[in-house]
Amino acid sequence: MSNKEVIKHYINGAYVEGTSGRFGDIYDPAKGVVQRQVALASKKEVEGAIASAHEAFPAWAATPPGRRAQVMFRFRELIREHMQELAVLLSAEHGKTIEDATGSVTRGLEVVEFACGISQLLKGEYSANVAGGVDSWNMRQPLGVCAGITPFNFPAMVPMWMFPVSIACGNTFVLKPSEKDPSVALRLAELMTEAGLPDGVLNVVNGDKEAVDTLLTDERVQGISFVGSTMIGEYIYQTGTASGKRVQALCGAKNHMVVMPDADIAQVVDAIIGAAYGSAGERCMAVAVVVTIDDATADAVLEKLLPRVKALKVGPYTDSASEMGPLVSPEAQAKVKGYIDAGVKEGAELIYDGRKETVAGHEGGCFVGATIFDKVTKDMSIYTEEIFGPVLSIVRAESYEEAVTLINDHEYGNGTALFTRDGDCARDFTNRVQIGMVGINVPIPVPMAFHSFGGWKRSLFGDHAIHGPEGVRFYTRLKTVTSRWPSGIRSGAVFNFKAGGEH
Ligand code: NAD
């Protein structure tokens, strides 16, 4: 181990040193050097966090929902007060611009606001007199200890998709953030304590497969929320459900934007710049593929897109002029460059090459510039696989039907968008695409916090999408009660009443 600062775990309301002797590296992505280390938890350490959540559960579950919501209201205010600090913490480890970081914390904050009003969704239903003297009603009860396993690309927002909803429903929580950029999640946990959350209700353990496997198999954990890549998500789903847990695993994506010949090309190009290159393409809702249905549209898009891509300002988050930051690590940078190499080899036309992008003063940084491939076909790896970088593929389809078939045949089903002025076409597209989140002239159709977020096909394993009403269903169990009370009044029995009707 080096003498760099080591990030700890947050268990039972306090920071705890790692004891496993294993550490992960955290990069400064703009420089490409290791800036600090994170303790990787052993099985025993994770079991300690689960024990703390397990112990805190009965009292927290018994706390009235309105009182639980008071903590969320205070947490909301604290996030707003600390917005800049949270954004800097996030950007320093992830690399994205401060604007992107602030935007993502704000989307997480919206879930906290949703959680403030969750009592409304915990209400049961009541049916009087379902049989003679019998009433039936139901209630939603928390599951117990829940766990969240989150990816590097939204290190504040994705944890906030999970723990505020779970905790507001009365569960306790163990979060295992990405080991690449865990600091902002730890700071959020501290702010929850400051907001009045009892110790043990939210715990954060840092770690890798060893920590995750413990969460997946420990019998005290009842529910697992995962967001990350499809390969890991499928493993999480299979292992977690095999040990009897409720699991939702939100996974990888390859989002297509279909541009119809009648679309407003200036709007399309604005949309592509934000959706393909924002957060350097490290977004599960990024547009990775633009599909046109005639050559004239493809040519018109390229003509306007190319100068915009050339002008994109790539740089570190510390430079307020930067529009696109680096990728998260040298490994991610090498992977994305490898895909660009593969696209060239497979015969796609490289219109603009981001491999040589360098930033003065940050020559070792994990930068990859915005990249455009044209004439991409459905057999190429740059089309079939998720690149997770600023690489856009243009596919020239020959008809609208071919575009819809491309989308429906792809293994992923997270998001898609259609750009058109034709309502009939938009309606048909909306009905027929096998995709969880659809945008009409909206490139990144991320649902608001009071709706639910989730893809189809191999973009989501499990039965529930995340946050919003689906989140409440995931984090609660339904209990239905059927009751009959013997009626003293009707039967003439006495109970507490005096005979003869004297009360
Ligand atoms: P990842 O799958 O590598 O890691 C996600 C989490 O799983 C991390 O906490 C990591 O520590 C853990 N993990 C990694 N390897 C593991 C293993 N072998 N066993 C158990 N746990 C393991 O994903 P990432 O690279 O951090 O994030 C990028 C991916 O996340 C992309 O595929 C992206 O599309 C996806 N993502 C999806 C959504 C969505 O809502 N569908 C949102 C954000 C990101």
Side-chain angles (χ1 to χ4, degrees):
M1 195 200 123
S2 71
N3 56 2
K4 294 199 157 39
E5 181 202 341
V6 177
I7 296 169
K8 302 171 184 172
H9 313 296
Y10 190 80
I11 299 174
N12 212 18
Y15 278 104
V16 177
E17 300 253 8
T19 57
S20 70
R22 294 195 306 120
F23 301 92
D25 289 336
I26 295 186
Y27 283 88
D28 172 350
K31 296 215 172 85
V33 296
V34 175
Q35 55 170 320
R36 56 181 91 145
Q37 293 199 298
V38 58
L40 301 175
S42 64
K43 185 170 194 287
K44 207 166 142 241
E45 291 172 290
V46 179
E47 284 173 347
I50 297 171
S52 138
H54 192 244
E55 208 167 294
F57 175 68
W60 184 245
T63 302
R67 287 241 297 279
R68 296 197 297 247
Q70 290 305 321
V71 176
M72 291 299 159
F73 278 107
R74 285 194 289 273
F75 182 50
R76 170 184 185 266
E77 290 313 307
L78 287 171
I79 294 176
R80 286 157 62 102
E81 275 167 37
H82 293 268
M83 183 61 85
Q84 181 67 12
E85 176 204 342
L86 291 165
V88 170
L89 260 181
L90 193 163
S91 293
E93 292 182 353
H94 178 280
K96 64 176 80 177
T97 63
I98 291 288
E99 193 188 349
D100 276 341
T102 311
S104 72
V105 176
T106 304
R107 294 313 297 259
L109 178 65
E110 289 166 9
V111 180
V112 176
E113 288 169 350
F114 166 75
C116 288
I118 242 166
S119 312
Q120 172 71 10
L121 293 172
L122 296 175
K123 286 190 307 196
E125 293 172 317
Y126 189 91
S127 298
N129 212 28
V130 291
V134 177
D135 305 319
S136 186
W137 57 283
N138 61 33
M139 57 178 148
R140 294 207 154 265
Q141 292 194 316
L143 305 181
V145 178
C146 293
I149 300 150
T150 53
F152 78 84
N153 66 323
F154 283 107
M157 180 186 81
V158 172
M160 284 197 279
W161 283 357
M162 302 174 181
F163 73 76
V165 178
S166 182
I167 287 173
C169 287
N171 299 284
T172 54
F173 207 82
V174 180
L175 174 68
K176 206 301 285 170
S178 170
E179 65 279 33
K180 296 190 176 94
D181 47 12
S183 293
V184 68
L186 287 156
R187 184 72 184 113
L188 289 170
E190 275 185 275
L191 293 179
M192 282 290 276
T193 301
E194 201 178 322
L197 191 74
D199 293 347
V201 176
L202 175 62
N203 307 276
V204 184
V205 283
N206 296 302
D208 53 8
K209 184 170 165 52
E210 185 171 341
V212 172
D213 284 346
T214 310
L215 293 169
L216 292 178
T217 50
D218 191 293
E219 60 180 25
R220 292 167 294 184
V221 177
Q222 300 292 312
I224 304 265
S225 298
F226 169 87
V227 176
S229 62
T230 293
M231 192 179 79
I232 307 298
E234 192 166 24
Y235 165 76
I236 301 275
Y237 183 75
Q238 285 169 355
T239 314
T241 51
S243 23
K245 302 184 196 321
R246 188 178 280 197
V247 183
Q248 56 179 183
L250 285 85
C251 297
K254 193 82 180 177
N255 306 311
H256 296 57
M257 177 203 273
V258 179
V259 183
M260 297 301 288
D262 67 347
D264 177 326
I265 299 299
Q267 271 181 20
V268 165
V269 169
D270 276 347
I272 293 174
I273 289 291
Y277 304 117
S279 273
E282 289 174 325
R283 285 207 281 228
C284 70
M285 290 294 275
V287 165
V289 181
V290 164
V291 186
T292 58
I293 68 166
D294 64 356
D295 283 340
T297 308
D299 294 342
V301 168
L302 268 176
E303 192 191 328
K304 285 201 157 59
L305 182 62
L306 190 55
R308 295 281 299 276
V309 163
K310 284 183 179 166
L312 265 179
K313 171 117 177 53
V314 178
Y317 79 91
T318 45
D319 178 352
S320 61
S322 300
E323 294 170 310
M324 194 172 97
L327 297 174
V328 70
S329 64
E331 189 193 356
Q333 182 191 35
K335 186 174 158 211
V336 172
K337 284 186 176 177
Y339 272 114
I340 303 175
D341 297 343
V344 172
K345 254 194 224 131
E346 288 166 351
E349 201 173 299
L350 185 58
I351 301 287
Y352 197 71
D353 184 357
R355 284 175 295 188
K356 300 232 157 37
E357 184 80 47
T358 51
V359 175
H362 291 79
E363 285 73 12
C366 309
F367 295 96
V368 176
T371 298
I372 311 174
F373 276 114
D374 190 12
K375 301 189 181 148
V376 174
T377 56
K378 65 180 183 182
D379 50 311
M380 295 177 181
S381 65
I382 54 167
Y383 177 76
T384 55
E385 294 171 25
E386 182 182 39
I387 299 174
F388 224 54
V391 181
L392 179 73
S393 293
I394 296 181
V395 175
R396 295 177 179 236
E398 285 181 1
S399 65
Y400 167 73
E401 282 305 316
E402 189 189 334
V404 171
T405 305
L406 273 171
I407 293 170
N408 287 348
D409 285 352
H410 205 286
E411 74 169 305
Y412 296 121
N414 216 39
T416 189
L418 176 77
F419 275 70
T420 184
R421 298 178 212 226
D422 179 345
D424 185 29
C425 173
R427 192 164 183 275
D428 181 81
F429 184 81
T430 307
N431 283 327
R432 285 173 55 207
V433 282
Q434 303 294 301
I435 300 288
M437 293 169 282
V438 180
I440 301 299
N441 299 315
V442 173
I444 306 190
V446 173
M448 296 302 288
F450 45 89
H451 285 269
S452 300
F453 183 110
W456 287 14
K457 299 189 277 185
R458 288 172 64 74
S459 292
L460 192 152
F461 299 92
D463 302 321
H464 295 283
I466 210 160
H467 68 64
E470 282 281 272
V472 175
R473 283 178 207 122
F474 181 78
Y475 289 124
T476 55
R477 260 192 268 267
L478 193 67
K479 182 179 277 180
T480 307
V481 181
T482 306
S483 62
R484 164 184 279 144
W485 290 95
S487 167
I489 294 165
R490 276 199 298 126
S491 67
V494 177
F495 298 110
N496 288 330
F497 297 98
K498 283 190 181 165
E502 289 171 38
H503 292 179

